[in-house]
Amino acid sequence: MTTLFNSIDKNIPAKLSSSRFSYPWVNRLIKRDIRQKQRLYNKVKKYGQSSHKFEFRKLRRSIDRKIRMSHNSYVRDIIGGSLKSDNTKPFWNLNLRGLMLVVSRRCRFKENSCPLPKIKPKP
């Protein structure tokens, strides 16, 4: 019997892994709102009432706003933290292409406020 338990301890992993990916800026409150949005979506599909549609759209816009604000805060904390300390690794681990896209979207409406130089595509 002890051989069986020793074999189980040796060969079966003890840590449970999750196959679900989660972004670090999506917190518990945002996930709760996403679940609520899914419940509202199911109501809209099942009943089709305009009040449910209105609530769903309102919640969807709210979640998008919260995710955007949370992502901006996350990026700001990483950039600020790497500037304050001497460790630049968290900054370089960011997806810079996505960060440039966020900055370019923000600068599209304000002509001279873009902090990063414009990059010309290669011919």
Side-chain angles (χ1 to χ4, degrees):
M1 207 50 149
T2 59
T3 312
L4 175 67
F5 287 123
N6 288 339
S7 179
I8 287 174
D9 290 338
K10 183 179 179 183
N11 297 317
I12 297 177
K15 183 178 179 182
L16 295 175
S17 63
S18 174
S19 62
R20 205 168 193 186
F21 181 75
S22 178
Y23 294 108
W25 56 85
V26 177
N27 59 20
R28 179 177 44 88
L29 299 173
I30 294 174
K31 285 182 183 180
R32 185 185 66 194
D33 287 345
I34 290 172
R35 285 191 299 270
Q36 184 180 359
K37 181 186 79 164
Q38 184 61 43
R39 286 193 299 271
L40 270 173
Y41 175 77
N42 292 340
K43 274 187 184 180
V44 168
K45 292 301 276 186
K46 188 172 183 179
Y47 301 114
Q49 292 181 358
S50 60
S51 62
H52 292 156
K53 287 180 185 178
F54 177 75
E55 285 292 322
F56 171 74
R57 288 180 185 143
K58 184 178 170 184
L59 188 60
R60 182 176 59 190
R61 282 191 292 262
S62 170
I63 290 171
D64 288 345
R65 191 177 316 112
K66 286 179 184 177
I67 289 174
R68 207 172 320 124
M69 288 172 46
S70 180
H71 178 261
N72 289 341
S73 173
Y74 173 77
V75 169
R76 208 175 318 116
D77 290 345
I78 286 184
I79 291 174
S82 64
L83 288 176
K84 288 178 185 175
S85 68
D86 205 19
N87 185 14
T88 59
K89 187 172 183 175
F91 171 76
W92 292 110
N93 283 340
L94 278 176
N95 182 356
L96 291 180
R97 183 175 300 248
L99 180 62
M100 299 274 273
L101 182 66
V102 168
V103 170
S104 68
R105 282 184 188 155
R106 195 176 314 143
C107 296
R108 188 180 324 155
F109 300 107
K110 299 176 185 175
E111 192 61 38
N112 294 323
S113 66
C114 196
L116 298 175
K118 294 183 179 179
I119 300 173
K120 295 181 181 177
K122 293 182 180 180

